[in-house]
Amino acid sequence: MPEAVDRDRLIELLARGAQLVEVLSAREYEHLHLPGAINLPIKELSRDRAMADLAIDAPVVTYCNGFL
């Protein structure tokens, strides 16, 4: 279930193994990404791509530069 998280909750989720996913374009990702983030550009995102790149048993936190 989607939910908005603040900085402290994000830190907690990452400490527990959450996956940080950036939906930035590859070019934006080069300049703006957070350490450890996985890049899945929104324009290329699909169920198959997400299933291939993400662990099914770990929470996922997504963001884009509009929320930085």
Side-chain angles (χ1 to χ4, degrees):
M1 187 76 159
E3 68 177 89
V5 297
D6 63 17
R7 182 179 182 273
D8 291 336
R9 178 74 173 129
L10 174 60
I11 291 168
E12 177 187 330
L13 288 167
L14 294 174
R16 292 177 159 203
Q19 302 163 96
L20 183 60
V21 175
E22 298 186 3
V23 293
L24 304 169
S25 68
R27 185 174 183 192
E28 290 173 312
Y29 179 81
E30 287 180 32
H31 301 287
L32 299 171
H33 78 277
L34 293 176
I38 300 164
N39 184 229
L40 294 175
I42 192 77
K43 291 182 179 181
E44 300 171 22
L45 191 57
S46 69
R47 178 183 166 99
D48 291 339
R49 171 98 190 259
M51 294 295 287
D53 292 350
L54 301 174
I56 195 165
D57 60 346
V60 174
V61 178
T62 60
Y63 77 94
C64 68
N65 65 354
F67 297 105
L68 293 177

